[in-house]
Amino acid sequence: LGGCFLCICAWSLSPRRGRGPGGAVFPPQFNSPPRSFRAAGFSAGSGAPTSGAPVGPAGESLLDYAVYAALASGVGSVGLVVRRVTANDLRRRFETRFGRGVPVSYVRQELWPLPGGHQSPSERMKPWGTGHAALRLVELAPGPFAVANGDDFYGRSSYSLLAASLAAEPEAPIFHLIGFQLDTTLSEHGGVSRAVCEMDQDGRLVGLEEVLGIETSEEGALLGRTVDGKRRIVQPDALVSMGLWGFTPAVFPLLETRFARFLEQHGEDPKREFLLSDAIGDMVRSGDAEVYVHRAEEPWFGMTFREDRDRVAAHIAELVEQGEYPESLRHAMRPPDLPSEAPTEGEISEYPPE
């Protein structure tokens, strides 16, 4: 991991030392790509936040496991993209659970201000999408970094694979995507939408096709529909994107150009979102960037529906029993030689920076 750049906002944290995940020096050395999460995942089935739902033996959430797995893989720090209305609660939750030993930074994603004098429609209730969330990291990520969803479980090896890949070209517009086998990402409780990867013979991304409502048909095939409503059969071993990307800072100007174009075309639509997968697909088609797809070594799991919680909890219990994860993340991540009270230093940054 040593070839990659330092972590998100490490310079704003007071360095402290202790023992961290896996017995490593804590906090980890700041020589790995930073890791960013969308802090609140929303279940498509219920509309309820899933990243904070308890699934671990000590009440841990998927977001807690994501932070632990990233740090245990050598990632130096974590950045959470949050809303103003949830920022303080989320920060207090992390500080209370893990103390000041865990290097977490925060950046807000809001409806405004927007570039080019654009105004957010008064009817708009949600931020501008995953592409806009990634743009918010420009002030936190001077080197290679990863973007992921806070309510997905990717496995530690996925983060290590991204780190090694990013180390090769830390400044070029060469990006990386961890692909998961489709049949390991399905839910027993309803159809799922997945971005199916199309690759060339060298493993470079050619395109992403959004397939909606994928589920097993009576004949045993995986059947969904395209965005224009056409029937689509997908192979079980197809690789799909579950939102785990690796980027260099070269992505920011490319995203900025496309976000400006998005606002020109769709800025008045209160529901339209600037999606990261759409923006990256456009970069690939235009030749502005290359994206390499890497097959995940561990299965993905998460909560697409509220009813998926029991399955996720059982999977985590199995990993804990196998010794892959500790029984209590709180005890594993809180350095024993540090005070237990929550820190007060640091500020949640505004956007855009002055």
Side-chain angles (χ1 to χ4, degrees), residues 30-31 35 78 225 233 282 334:
F30 296 154
N31 59 3
R35 174 97 164 81
V78 173
R225 65 185 186 280
I233 295 176
D282 184 72
R334 184 188 289 277

Side-chain angles (χ1 to χ4, degrees), residues 7-352:
C7 61
I8 289 178
C9 219
W11 51 89
S12 70
L13 300 173
S14 300
R16 298 175 172 85
R17 301 185 71 79
R19 306 307 294 180
V25 173
F26 197 95
Q29 297 298 307
F30 296 154
N31 59 3
S32 305
R35 174 97 164 81
S36 72
F37 295 86
R38 297 212 57 194
F42 288 86
S43 162
S46 65
T50 58
S51 58
V55 292
E60 298 92 346
S61 68
L62 282 175
L63 182 56
D64 297 332
Y65 279 101
V67 172
Y68 175 86
L71 295 174
S73 302
V75 170
S77 182
V78 173
L80 301 180
V81 181
V82 298
R83 294 288 309 275
R84 183 186 301 272
V85 294
T86 60
N88 289 333
D89 287 345
L90 184 63
R91 180 174 178 174
R92 278 192 294 267
R93 177 183 176 280
F94 261 88
E95 292 173 344
T96 299
R97 180 179 289 272
F98 299 128
R100 60 166 58 99
V102 176
V104 178
S105 306
Y106 303 83
V107 62
R108 284 198 287 253
Q109 181 190 17
E110 302 295 344
L111 299 178
W112 71 90
L114 297 173
H118 290 279
Q119 300 294 319
S120 178
S122 58
E123 317 93 277
R124 190 172 189 92
M125 303 300 294
K126 296 194 303 180
W128 293 92
T130 51
H132 180 235
L135 264 177
R136 294 296 294 109
L137 299 170
V138 64
E139 60 194 87
L140 298 181
F145 64 101
V147 172
N149 297 317
D151 53 0
D152 289 345
F153 193 105
Y154 299 108
R156 285 182 299 203
S157 64
S158 295
Y159 309 141
S160 298
L161 181 56
L162 270 188
S165 301
L166 286 165
E169 297 283 351
E171 299 180 4
I174 299 176
F175 311 138
H176 302 272
L177 171 64
I178 302 298
F180 293 84
Q181 189 164 304
L182 172 62
D183 60 0
T184 68
T185 72
L186 304 178
S187 172
E188 299 174 352
H189 304 289
V192 299
S193 297
R194 297 290 181 254
V196 181
C197 302
E198 180 186 356
M199 299 164 289
D200 65 16
Q201 61 183 6
D202 296 319
R204 284 176 298 205
L205 186 69
V206 175
L208 285 169
E209 181 187 14
E210 190 75 16
V211 183
L212 312 176
I214 302 173
E215 52 189 335
T216 305
S217 69
E218 293 181 358
E219 295 77 21
L222 295 183
L223 181 63
R225 65 185 186 280
T226 62
V227 292
D228 54 2
K230 296 179 180 179
R231 187 173 181 267
R232 174 77 154 87
I233 295 176
V234 191
Q235 296 303 311
D237 61 351
L239 293 186
V240 298
S241 168
M242 300 305 297
L244 183 54
W245 299 86
F247 296 115
T248 71
V251 76
F252 291 125
L254 299 175
L255 280 175
E256 288 170 357
T257 299
R258 285 158 178 82
F259 187 45
R261 185 191 309 155
F262 169 88
L263 291 173
E264 290 287 346
Q265 297 174 350
H266 308 293
E268 299 301 318
D269 187 334
K271 296 184 179 180
R272 192 72 174 255
E273 293 189 9
F274 177 58
L275 300 179
L276 181 60
S277 58
D278 288 347
I280 300 303
D282 184 72
M283 295 176 200
V284 169
R285 288 190 297 272
S286 65
D288 289 339
E290 291 184 349
V291 178
Y292 286 88
V293 182
H294 308 270
R295 180 179 289 272
E297 299 173 359
E298 300 178 55
W300 169 95
F301 59 91
M303 288 187 286
T304 305
F305 300 95
R306 188 192 300 272
E307 294 80 5
D308 291 326
R309 180 185 175 279
D310 289 346
R311 177 182 58 85
V312 170
H315 194 122
I316 289 177
E318 182 179 351
L319 292 175
V320 170
E321 184 176 354
Q322 294 171 354
E324 295 293 326
Y325 288 85
E327 292 186 4
S328 170
L329 293 189
R330 178 185 178 91
H331 293 152
M333 295 178 72
R334 184 188 289 277
D337 58 338
L338 297 182
S340 60
E341 68 272 11
T344 58
E345 65 217 19
E347 296 294 336
I348 299 175
S349 59
E350 297 283 359
Y351 180 77

